[in-house]
Amino acid sequence: MFKVKYYFDDNTLTFKRVRLVKKQKIVRLVSFLVVTITAAFLLNFILSTYFTTPKLSKIINNRYELIIKYDLLQDKLAEVNTVLKDMQHRDDNLYRTIFELDPVPSTVRMAGFGGSNRYTELEGYDYSEMMIESCKKMDAISKQLVVQSKSFDVVIDYAKNKEKMLACIPAIQPVAIKDFDRISDYFGMRSDPFNNSSTMHYGMDFTGPEGADVFATGDGVVVEAGYSLFGYGNRLTIDHGFGYKTVYAHLNEISVENGQKIKRGDVIGKLGNTGRSTGTHLHYEVRLYDKPIDPINFYFNDITAEEYDEMILALSKRRTPMD
């Protein structure tokens, strides 16, 4: 409140109250309000900066906890997405290849959600952007999981109806090893060990002692057994049907004959060093409709997923061409 002021009237010899004009009143009122608001702002700033109430402390702690949980959620979503991508890769490049099914189109796997904005109910909050982003990621993963589940249903149906095909498809390693360091070379471009030129290697090479057993990787019929003039040395070819053939080269000994029916796991020859070879090893190929494909995707009957990853890691560290 403003103080009441008086002045002495010389004419009446009395004290009279000072009467302010309207403009002076407005100026005083505005000044009072400015000072009051400024003081309140400064007080609030000091209290909020240097002092916290229990309620404010709880809000701050909840905010930090929310941010930490959000970061953890993003990490988990990233992990789930990585696993999902691996499942999709195996589905398209292994399981569907086995049953001669076309890969699931990326447009189907990555299809979005139609309709209007699905996240309007999350708008208008302090953390709306974070919540909407997380929901979008979870929805995308959910949609891809549904597509993947349906794809596996199709593969399972084919598997049930193709037991014979499963028995015939090459599905084990052609030599008995658990030490993946014995895989000296793999499918793909490499430096030729004889002339150092860049050439395509159409199979995988397994080292081992001379005379070690070589196994048929699937049921089938021997269609070629003898010495090859094209660098393979003693070579054996098995026709598994369904478009699949396997080739076993540089053998020291061939244990089967042309036309002989073979079961997966049968001993068909011995490890050797015949033909164009720098040392004892087996050159192994898988062909689909006479086109060489990577054998590394066809060991699913005798190694676990963990061993498969271990094999991939071992191959990434070194390569020793031998033929």
Side-chain angles (χ1 to χ4, degrees):
M1 295 295 295
F2 298 112
K3 291 182 179 180
V4 178
K5 293 185 178 182
Y6 296 86
Y7 71 94
F8 185 75
D9 189 338
D10 293 334
N11 295 324
T12 62
L13 300 177
T14 59
F15 287 97
K16 292 185 177 182
R17 186 174 180 178
V18 177
R19 301 292 181 179
L20 299 177
V21 297
K22 186 176 182 180
K23 182 177 181 181
Q24 290 176 317
K25 289 181 179 180
I26 293 174
V27 170
R28 285 196 174 192
L29 178 61
V30 170
S31 300
F32 175 77
L33 291 175
V34 169
V35 171
T36 302
I37 292 172
T38 302
F41 175 79
L42 290 174
L43 180 61
N44 181 69
F45 175 77
I46 293 172
L47 290 175
S48 62
T49 304
Y50 300 102
F51 304 94
T52 56
T53 64
K55 184 177 181 180
L56 181 59
S57 296
K58 185 177 181 180
I59 293 174
I60 294 174
N61 290 334
N62 288 343
R63 179 177 180 274
Y64 287 143
E65 185 177 347
L66 176 63
I67 293 174
I68 292 173
K69 289 183 177 179
Y70 173 78
D71 290 338
L72 291 174
L73 174 62
Q74 298 308 305
D75 291 341
K76 290 296 182 183
L77 288 175
E79 290 178 10
V80 171
N81 194 55
T82 299
V83 173
L84 179 57
K85 294 299 181 187
D86 182 64
M87 290 171 57
Q88 293 170 345
H89 176 77
R90 285 173 176 263
D91 183 28
D92 285 339
N93 296 283
L94 176 56
Y95 309 134
R96 286 181 163 267
T97 299
I98 290 172
F99 295 107
E100 302 176 39
L101 297 170
D102 292 331
V104 178
S106 59
T107 53
V108 174
R109 289 194 184 278
M110 305 304 295
F113 294 90
S116 58
N117 185 3
R118 296 166 50 87
Y119 311 104
T120 53
E121 71 279 4
L122 298 177
E123 295 175 348
Y125 297 97
D126 291 339
Y127 300 101
S128 290
E129 185 176 344
M130 295 168 59
M131 292 188 292
I132 292 174
E133 180 185 356
S134 298
C135 285
K136 285 182 177 179
K137 289 182 179 180
M138 288 188 285
D139 284 345
I141 290 174
S142 175
K143 176 67 164 58
Q144 292 179 61
L145 284 173
V146 170
V147 173
Q148 187 58 62
S149 177
K150 291 181 179 179
S151 177
F152 281 155
D153 288 342
V154 173
V155 172
I156 290 172
D157 287 340
Y158 269 78
K160 289 179 179 178
N161 297 326
K162 292 193 174 184
E163 291 184 8
K164 181 180 178 181
M165 180 180 180
L166 287 175
C168 293
I169 290 174
I172 63 172
Q173 297 176 98
V175 292
I177 66 168
K178 287 295 181 181
D179 178 8
F180 298 118
D181 286 336
R182 285 179 54 185
I183 301 176
S184 64
D185 202 3
Y186 48 91
F187 188 91
M189 297 299 296
R190 53 75 188 271
S191 177
D192 189 289
F194 290 92
N195 55 31
N196 293 323
S197 64
S198 180
T199 56
M200 181 66 185
H201 190 241
Y202 291 107
M204 291 184 69
D205 291 345
F206 298 82
T207 63
E210 185 170 324
D213 289 337
V214 175
F215 304 97
T217 56
D219 295 359
V221 178
V222 177
V223 293
E224 181 182 38
Y227 193 85
S228 168
L229 299 178
F230 299 98
Y232 284 92
N234 288 328
R235 178 174 68 178
L236 175 66
T237 302
I238 298 176
D239 188 342
H240 301 278
F242 306 99
Y244 287 95
K245 290 181 181 178
T246 50
V247 178
Y248 312 77
H250 308 301
L251 298 172
N252 182 58
E253 175 186 321
I254 297 176
S255 307
V256 293
E257 300 176 348
N258 266 332
Q260 184 174 337
K261 291 184 178 180
I262 301 296
K263 290 290 186 180
R264 178 183 292 146
D266 286 352
V267 176
I268 56 176
K270 303 293 183 180
L271 212 64
N273 185 28
T274 58
R276 189 175 184 269
S277 170
T278 62
T280 301
H281 75 287
L282 170 72
H283 174 83
Y284 173 66
E285 294 181 13
V286 176
R287 298 177 180 178
L288 181 59
Y289 298 113
D290 292 322
K291 179 182 178 181
I293 55 179
D294 195 345
I296 203 168
N297 293 320
F298 291 86
Y299 303 138
F300 45 85
N301 264 28
D302 63 345
I303 63 174
T304 65
E306 290 76 15
E307 289 173 330
Y308 178 86
D309 292 336
E310 181 184 342
M311 178 172 61
I312 296 296
L313 179 61
L315 294 182
S316 68
K317 292 181 178 179
R318 49 99 185 96
R319 188 172 198 175
T320 308
M322 300 185 70
D323 54 26

